Amino acid sequence: MRVVLAEDNVLLRAGMAELLRHEDIEAAAEAGDVPALLDAVRRTKPDVVIVDVRMPPTTPSRGLRRHAVDLLSGGAQGIGYLLKDRVLGPAELADAIRRVAAGGSAIDPQVIEHLLKRKRSDELLGVLTPRERDVLRLVAEGRSNRSVAAALYLSEKTVEAVTGRIFAKLSLSETADSHRRVQAVLAWLRPE
């Protein structure tokens, strides 16, 4: 089996190539950036491409969550998404590579857990109207009802009513141990 390794850390890339060699997987090419990766894939036509999601050129604001969502949005066949610090050893990595090459998938359980939580949060917020989302977005910025009302050209009473509907739709109740406004903001922030 032949792979292309794309990792900007030269030492880590060389170490992975050596470890895979011991598992009868050939590193047909190695790349340290995206242009070199694309060139290597065109030249070698590998069975699998192993890519570090944070390779240059990259934008620091994009996180692993966004990469996982983008990668897996079309299905998981022939795709692997493993976290470096959670791969237990060369044999586990080799097994994942072989599964992906055979059209299967190898996805870290932590990534799956995150995606499921995101889906639940998106579904929860999906019950809100566009106006309720606008109010919640401004509340999440730390604005008072007066500030939200001014920004959306509403009365404070309307903002209070909309906020009440948000709490009801999100099933948030005020208790001695929790604050509905904070819980609503947390629900808004989770999907991102």
Side-chain angles (χ1 to χ4, degrees), residues 18-150:
E18 184 61 29
L19 290 172
L20 291 176
R21 213 174 342 270
H22 291 287
E23 296 293 329
D24 295 324
I25 297 174
E26 173 195 351
E30 298 177 22
D33 58 35
V34 174
L37 165 64
L38 296 175
D39 179 59
V41 170
R42 275 191 288 273
R43 282 185 298 102
T44 64
K45 310 249 186 284
D47 300 303
V48 173
V49 178
I50 301 170
V51 182
D52 177 6
V53 296
R54 290 187 271 190
M55 277 191 0
T58 186
T59 49
S61 62
R62 293 189 75 192
L64 291 178
R65 296 179 212 184
R66 177 69 179 159
H67 290 292
V69 170
D70 290 347
L71 181 66
L72 299 173
S73 63
Q77 293 82 8
I79 293 176
Y81 193 98
L82 303 176
L83 304 175
K84 288 180 201 173
D85 59 336
R86 293 180 40 94
V87 175
L88 298 176
E92 181 183 358
L93 180 59
D95 178 58
I97 292 168
R98 288 185 182 100
R99 276 186 280 142
V100 168
S105 62
I107 303 169
D108 188 285
Q110 198 173 59
V111 172
I112 293 170
E113 180 181 333
H114 168 74
L115 292 174
L116 290 175
K117 283 181 185 174
R118 179 186 173 102
K119 186 174 190 307
R120 284 192 299 266
S121 294
D122 286 346
E123 289 170 354
L124 180 68
L125 293 177
V127 302
L128 301 180
T129 66
R131 172 57 51 120
E132 291 164 345
R133 284 176 171 266
D134 289 342
V135 168
L136 184 52
R137 177 180 48 81
L138 293 173
V139 167
E141 291 176 4
R143 294 183 183 224
S144 65
N145 283 354
R146 178 178 291 169
S147 176
V148 171

Side-chain angles (χ1 to χ4, degrees), residues 140-166:
E141 291 176 4
R143 294 183 183 224
S144 65
N145 283 354
R146 178 178 291 169
S147 176
V148 171
L152 298 176
Y153 303 102
L154 302 171
S155 70
E156 281 188 66
K157 281 201 170 285
T158 300
V159 171
E160 289 173 13
V162 171
T163 305
R165 286 195 307 271
I166 291 169

